[in-house]
Amino acid sequence: MKYKEIRLSGSGGQGIILMGIILAEAAIMNGDNAIQSQSYGPEARGGASRAEVIISEGEIDFPKVRKPDILLSLTQEAFNKYIVDLKDGGIVIADDKVKIEDSDKFQLYQVPIMSTTNDVLKKPMVANIVALGAFNKITKLVDEEMLRKAILNRVPKGTEDLNIKAFNMGIGLV
Amino acid sequence: MKYKEIRLSGSGGQGIILMGIILAEAAIMNGDNAIQSQSYGPEARGGASRAEVIISEGEIDFPKVRKPDILLSLTQEAFNKYIVDLKDGGIVIADDKVKIEDSDKFQLYQVPIMSTTNDVLKKPMVANIVALGAFNKITKLVDEEMLRKAILNRVPKGTEDLNIKAFNMGIGLV
Amino acid sequence: MNKKVSTKVIVNKAWCKGCGICVAFCPTNVLEIKDGKVEIVNPEACTRCGLCELRCPDFAIYLGGEEDEK
Amino acid sequence: MNKKVSTKVIVNKAWCKGCGICVAFCPTNVLEIKDGKVEIVNPEACTRCGLCELRCPDFAIYLGGEEDEK
Amino acid sequence: MASNLVEKYYRMDKLPHIWCAGCTHGTSMNAVVRAIDKLGYNQDEVCIVSGIGCSSRATGYMDFNTLHTTHGRALAFATGIKMANPKLKVIVITGDGDATAIGGNHFIHACRRNIDITTIVFNNNIYGMTGGQYSPTTPTSSLGTTAPYGNIDPVFNICNVAAAAGATYVARGTAYHTQALINSIVKGLENKGFSVIEAVSDCPTYFGRRNKIGDAVEMMKRLKELSVNVKAAEKLPPEKLEGKIIIGEIKNETRPEYTDEYQNLIDRLKEEEK
Amino acid sequence: MASNLVEKYYRMDKLPHIWCAGCTHGTSMNAVVRAIDKLGYNQDEVCIVSGIGCSSRATGYMDFNTLHTTHGRALAFATGIKMANPKLKVIVITGDGDATAIGGNHFIHACRRNIDITTIVFNNNIYGMTGGQYSPTTPTSSLGTTAPYGNIDPVFNICNVAAAAGATYVARGTAYHTQALINSIVKGLENKGFSVIEAVSDCPTYFGRRNKIGDAVEMMKRLKELSVNVKAAEKLPPEKLEGKIIIGEIKNETRPEYTDEYQNLIDRLKEEEK
Amino acid sequence: MKNNVFLMQGNEACIYGAIDAGMRFFAGYPITPSTELAEVSAQELPKVGGKFIQMEDEIASMAATIGASLAGLKSMTATSGPGFSLKQENLGFACMTEIPCVVVNVQRGGPSTGLPTAPAQGEVMQSRWGTHGDHPIIVISPSSVMEAYMFAVKAFNLSEKYRTPVVLLMDEVVAHMREKIEIPDKSSLEIINRKKPVVDKDKYLPYEDTEDLIPPMANFGEGYRFHVTGLTHDETGFPSTNPANASKQINRLLNKIEMHKEDIIEFDEYLTEDAEIILVSFGAVARSAKSAVKEARSQGKKVGLFRPMTIWPFPEERLKELGKKAKHFIVAEMNMGQLVLEVERIIKSDAVVHLLGKANGEIITPDEIMDKIKEVENIG
Amino acid sequence: MKNNVFLMQGNEACIYGAIDAGMRFFAGYPITPSTELAEVSAQELPKVGGKFIQMEDEIASMAATIGASLAGLKSMTATSGPGFSLKQENLGFACMTEIPCVVVNVQRGGPSTGLPTAPAQGEVMQSRWGTHGDHPIIVISPSSVMEAYMFAVKAFNLSEKYRTPVVLLMDEVVAHMREKIEIPDKSSLEIINRKKPVVDKDKYLPYEDTEDLIPPMANFGEGYRFHVTGLTHDETGFPSTNPANASKQINRLLNKIEMHKEDIIEFDEYLTEDAEIILVSFGAVARSAKSAVKEARSQGKKVGLFRPMTIWPFPEERLKELGKKAKHFIVAEMNMGQLVLEVERIIKSDAVVHLLGKANGEIITPDEIMDKIKEVENIG
Ligand SMILES: Cc1ncc(C[n+]2csc(CCOP(=O)(O)OP(=O)(O)O)c2C)c(N)n1
Ligand SMILES: Cc1ncc(C[n+]2csc(CCOP(=O)(O)OP(=O)(O)O)c2C)c(N)n1
Ligand code: SF4
Ligand code: SF4
Ligand code: SF4
Ligand code: SF4
Ligand code: SF4
Ligand code: SF4
Ligand SMILES: [Mg+2]
Ligand SMILES: [Mg+2]
């Protein structure tokens, strides 16, 4: 039975939490259970930011991520901070600028998320949605259509097209 | 072993509580134990007022008067209110204006406290001390000298002579 | 009530606490304290100005007509 | 310290949060934000007026002499 | 046996009240009732809220919707009531301690919001209920049980604080100037917004006795002597006003009222919904 | 790597601070430090007390006797400290929410007592720490997370309330007018009595962003544009002052100071004892 | 996704539940981690004609909430630790005057300012005993976002039914996590409103000693003109210092909860029937515990879970029964030992009670519970 | 009368004791029946160079008390029920920051405004659990005027020694009655002052994890320049959200009381050795109980009295021992059942625990206790 612990990370302001919400919501639309949580407090102000999602076909009892199956990191700082408790053999999806050593302990995917967002889309605020596209292409955790729906549900009015474009671009990066 | 429960009563403003304090203090000077207590609250504002004293040679455990051995009342209202739980065969000391029926259930002493105070001394505020004189003459609970000392201890500066005079006059009334 | 009633000063001794306020400020010295309660000692002088009623903290003195006294 | 030191504007990049306040209000456009941090791009123009130091919320820019830098 | 007014507006079985002889809380309470009577409010639509103190005991006697709350909090309770049912005429009766000591924050915030509540502060310059401790309005150098050597605390000018905090109608009266007090309360009730009427009062039992002012009558005389009308006061130099009670209307202004503004918001959202 | 001033007066190991980029709390905190430095106080004799809020986090960084209390209560704690040891220079750093919402009562009573404490209110017109709810100084019609449709609350004028409540030195400055702010704090510290300095501040993260004012720089520009000196303001008609920030000295007066008065009492009793 | 299924935060769900239960007034003062309750109220209430007000502090918020209820609106306030302490005096006033209202406390790390953004369950005892004097109270605690919604409804229902404040005791985990929630059809929700007087207006006794011990309640403005005071009062609502009356009133106050315990109390059990070790947990920790039970069972260990949903009055009778069956109880709670005291009191010598307490800002994990289970097994 | 023997009120005695213990600061706000504590302080403190201040409310009084202590003066505040509720937030701050101070609560009838002039013991549980979060506290309760004096001394001593607030839990009976008191010679009084740091000023750790778990305390103004916060902090006093540190600190906080329990706990026993029925009472009610024991013994009944003088931490060990000997315990308290919960928890199934609770504004009488004794005897 599917039970996946996911940690999404980046820097404050990159929309990491929204990304978690969209992912969890898509999972629910998919008919799965999902829980999303995040860190509050000083930790949440500036510096590395994270959102955690658990997706499961069955009941989710313990609501927190213990050992993530999947870590997504958009920045070096976030990667360094949050890699520590990845499950052995887990998946890491990181921006291609992130320098990663010891990559034999996990399955590594490096994707040019930030550069694509900044240089091609020229809209840094949609890096999270680009990342989501790449993330789901790799993990196939939820139905792509559901993710599109969830994105439309949650992004600010007037930015729908941009975000769908970003999502598709993310899929295309993998 | 001596153990006496005393209830002193009158109307608010007659100095009933001070009377209780002086009595208790004199008892202590006497080498006895004593506890003084009084009623607070709306009951204490206007209307009938009371002070209770327990005098004992031994320890005083329960600090409240249960069934007074002695009731002193300066007013009709106070008498009516506080006679209810007098010990069978107890002592009642009342102003002579107080109308009392059923006096066979207790030893009654009626003393012209108020009239003496008002008409002879012409100082209504020392009625409590006049009463104390009469009270102790009847009950002989404490040494007269100790009472004089306690009076001097507790009355406002400058009123010492008046109060001692009042005390002596009270003794004389019995 | 469109029937005009003749008002006069009335005292409710049960409520009067004898503070003397009405007495002191009655413009025509209608009142006095006796035995700790107010008394109307000079009813003819009363001008029905109502000041006693206005200031009495205890609602123990007021201008009322016969109709009010039922 | 009675030794007069030659002051100049100094930046502590580690503390700078790149808010741009010093840049915007420097009277002589000495400063710029680069990669999210302040940079002294025009040091000669600096009049040592101290406004950047006064307003920087992060104590990341200040006038100091060599003695201060130890 | 009581006047028509008393029979109509009071809970007769609760009278006589517990206040001491000569305590002017009774006078001030009656001024409130007369003001209500003048305006012809329906008793069912009037809600009177008080805190804790001798003054705050007023609510127990008055035949309206009455709420006797916790010490200092009357205005916060009243705010909830007024928000919930803006049709109610909400009146707060409070004391100097209740309103300006423990209740000071709710007081200034009610002023700020300009919520349609009329507050009458029975200011006797003392904590009466607890037996005569000095309050934030006890004159400096007066005696109180907690100021046995004379109070070193400076005082609040309740009306000035209320005005600065935003109340739109502010007036001061005394128990001696009863008719003027009634008039001020009427105006306060008519003001659509937050109104403060300070009713300077006497506590002969604690303030008067301890400060050797004399009995209730002497205290009333003092109210008369110390009072200066605000108009007259404007023409006097500050030294002549020291220790005086300035009576009359201190502020009268119009600003949007809080529950109105909230209703506007609701209406606006309903409009947008369409 | 920091200036002499910073190295001397700050706890270097706690820097950089947690405040957001462009948050002017840092600027205002430094103004306090510069004022202290100007007066040459010994750090051991200075005690800085704060409540809870972003602003109130200042105490953690400043190398003095520092006390970070509960929300709104800094002045009450500070009053105990000053009474216990009047030799300490007691300074309170607080926010608009801390000082005027939950802490409003302690604020007006400290003003009333005229106790020798200097209070600097970092007024950013918002509750920063909890994420941008409107505060008693949030301008009417502004947005906050608890005012999603625009705030209907009228605002406090902190300086006017302080003056009416009895503070003896009252001034307003802004983070933009840093030097003037420092001067006001110096004067406040020099005043023997209760001093209030309102330091108008920016919260770009919550107030600025939500109200679409722009970034930290835009907000600072706004402080500059909206400010009018009190002297100039006196000559302007009220409509011209709407929405303006009046800066400068609002009140400067001399009255007996509270701990002095208490010491006089002690001395008097000692005298009588003899 | 059905259009009544959402991903929602616990705090959000709580307000949607409250509004569906009829809440039309919310007075608050922001404090982490309860602030979203105020924020969502500010956003949603005016849309349904309800009122939100941000008061000057928590004391005022509690007061305004009570006032609004007395004026006829179902009312709520919400806070966290420090604010909950401040609300205690007026919470007691609501108990005494029997004015329904709901107080949410989203627990965070304490004592004092503590760990403002971290989860805890440090107010188990305070929610029962925080105000002075003996008083009735109902405290319920949800474990999921769905329950945050349902318990908000339940809180209002109990509050209206029993004329008493109800504390909704949440924790930061449940308050802040987002989870699937299925909003029930409104017609399927049971909504209870306060019992109104049926007597003539001049015969109304606001504190009548009725058979069910719950006096009917009129709202201010409906023509009853009664008096409400926090002083000890008699059936008429007016102050009384008569000891016999005081006894009667305090007994009715406490017994109105005691008498209806069965209706009020709700709890959940998981594999307790044959359990030798029973975990006792509530709120978010109950989820860790359930996870641990599954793990333990998979290892053949006879472990079960008893989850009080009603914390006060505590489900004493059922726990007592379980005490006769199981050998060990492990109370896992995010504090240093609070509910465990009540469990010890109830279990007496029937079984051994152990505490797994933790108050460091982190939720108790299933692993920690497993470790404790092993420790207890070793005792035998 | 020896010139150290007086007739004195409990409230008065408490302040004289406090001043003899070194109290030099009192911040208060009047409330019946505690007001005399403020009044006597206002009168006496300036005579000895101490300071009295009447604050704007109880919250401010608690705050000023803590502030003054941090600035070096032994400090007290006093209140009754409603004010005690208001002080809870800042009381928790004192627990967390380990600033010594004494809080007197003269209990009166509750809940809410209740019976302001009548005696009660309704804050047994609130004094332990009134503030949010887990926290240490010491609560002691005198039964006589003499003890009001002695316990004030003791309260300051414990507070200074353990860097913790101490609650002096009085009741209206003891507070207001006048009784004989013999003021001890000052030289015979043990006075304890806070332990001062001995390290260099820059090495000072205000929350050092010392062996005795009590960190030395510098006063503000003595050159140590430390930081005090109600946030969870580390040994340096600065905030820390590190879970390991948070665990360590909360454990130290609670254990500093637990570890020194023997030194802190005081109780009194009367004829318990052979008792079959043991009364458990404190404060004024313990006097009724003692009277009842005498009466019962005179009738040949084996009744004894266990009187906790320290209420929290409760004298658990000794009571447990007694539980093995006696058959019945009767907890007589002026509330509806608070201390009885703790007694039940401790006694477990060893004996039967009964409650004699009363909360109607009157003290429990010896006769009522006798009746209860008879009732219990009939059970056997
Ligand atoms: C929380 C709380 N603190 C203190 C008290 C005690 N108390 C009752 S009334 C009062 C002062 C009342 O003074 P004021 O408002 O001036 O009324 P007055 O009695 O003078 O009319 C105080 C301190 C209380 N009941 N509750
Ligand atoms: C008793 C209590 N209530 C509420 C809070 C939550 N709280 C913390 S800071 C704050 C507001 C701070 O606003 P302000 O004083 O303006 O400071 P800023 O963060 O804007 O600098 C609030 C409501 C708290 N910590 N304690
Ligand atoms: S109505 Fe006027 S004149 Fe008549 S008694 Fe009253 S005060 Fe005097
Ligand atoms: S004013 Fe009223 S209470 Fe006072 S004496 Fe006159 S009638 Fe009596
Ligand atoms: S003001 Fe300070 S923080 Fe802001 S950009 Fe300049 S140096 Fe950096
Ligand atoms: S010192 Fe003045 S001129 Fe030089 S960089 Fe700073 S602001 Fe510009
Ligand atoms: S104590 Fe003072 S305020 Fe209270 S009723 Fe008596 S006179 Fe009035
Ligand atoms: S939230 Fe606002 S007030 Fe707080 S640190 Fe950030 S900018 Fe400053
Ligand atoms: Mg007063
Ligand atoms: Mg702010």
Side-chain angles (χ1 to χ4, degrees), chain G residues 163-178:
Chain G
R163 274 192 74 171
T164 187
V166 173
V167 175
L168 189 54
L169 196 65
M170 311 238 289
D171 54 57
E172 191 271 347
V173 177
V174 172
H176 272 165
M177 72 186 193
R178 288 186 179 81

Side-chain angles (χ1 to χ4, degrees), chain A residues 36 38 59-61, chain G residues 7 9 178 287 290 294:
Chain A
Q36 179 272 340
Q38 67 216 52
E59 238 185 311
I60 304 175
D61 295 318
Chain G
L7 179 78
Q9 229 181 15
R178 288 186 179 81
R287 303 175 69 127
K290 191 165 185 187
K294 288 180 182 169

Side-chain angles (χ1 to χ4, degrees), chain C residues 10-13 15-23 31-33 36-39 52 55-62, chain E residues 21-22:
Chain C
I10 300 178
V11 162
N12 177 350
K13 284 215 183 186
W15 289 3
C16 171
K17 292 178 185 152
C19 68
I21 288 175
C22 58
V23 178
L31 310 166
E32 239 174 57
I33 297 290
K37 301 271 177 185
V38 72
E39 247 187 54
C52 51
R55 293 205 184 102
C56 171
D58 289 273
F59 324 146
I61 188 163
Y62 57 99

Side-chain angles (χ1 to χ4, degrees), chain H residues 176-211:
Chain H
H176 273 165
M177 73 186 193
R178 288 186 179 80
E179 191 177 24
K180 181 158 118 179
I181 173 178
E182 197 172 335
I183 303 275
D185 192 65
K186 275 203 204 152
S187 64
S188 76
L189 279 182
E190 187 200 14
I191 303 298
I192 301 175
N193 296 313
R194 57 192 72 168
K195 180 169 73 180
K196 309 298 293 183
V198 289
V199 297
D200 283 356
K201 295 193 171 168
D202 56 334
K203 297 235 173 65
Y204 176 51
L205 291 174
Y207 298 95
E208 192 183 345
D209 198 1
T210 55
E211 223 167 281

Side-chain angles (χ1 to χ4, degrees), chain F residues 9-10 33 35 58 107 120 154-155 222 227 229 242 250 253-254 259:
Chain F
Y9 292 107
Y10 289 91
V33 158
F107 184 72
I120 302 103
V155 301
R222 205 160 148 272
S227 295
N229 189 280
E242 214 148 279
I250 314 277
E253 184 185 286
T254 307
T259 60

Side-chain angles (χ1 to χ4, degrees), chain D residues 16-22 33 38 56-58 60-61:
Chain D
C16 171
K17 291 178 185 153
C19 68
I21 288 174
C22 58
I33 296 289
V38 72
C56 171
D58 289 273
I61 188 164

Side-chain angles (χ1 to χ4, degrees), chain G residues 263-284:
Chain G
D263 178 50
I264 295 166
I265 289 176
E266 210 179 330
F267 55 84
D268 196 15
E269 287 180 47
Y270 183 62
L271 306 180
T272 49
E273 269 318 307
D274 63 339
E276 285 163 7
I277 298 177
I278 293 182
L279 307 176
V280 181
S281 282
F282 65 98

Side-chain angles (χ1 to χ4, degrees), chain E residues 36-87:
Chain E
I36 292 171
D37 185 58
K38 270 203 181 178
L39 292 167
Y41 289 166
N42 178 335
Q43 278 156 274
D44 288 336
E45 281 177 5
V46 174
C47 168
I48 309 188
V49 186
S50 64
I52 298 288
C54 292
S55 30
S56 293
R57 281 298 189 102
T59 42
Y61 304 110
M62 303 171 81
D63 192 10
F64 302 90
N65 300 285
T66 53
L67 176 62
H68 180 227
T69 67
T70 46
H71 189 35
R73 317 301 174 190
L75 275 165
F77 281 88
T79 299
I81 292 172
K82 184 74 190 178
M83 283 292 282
N85 184 354
K87 279 192 220 115

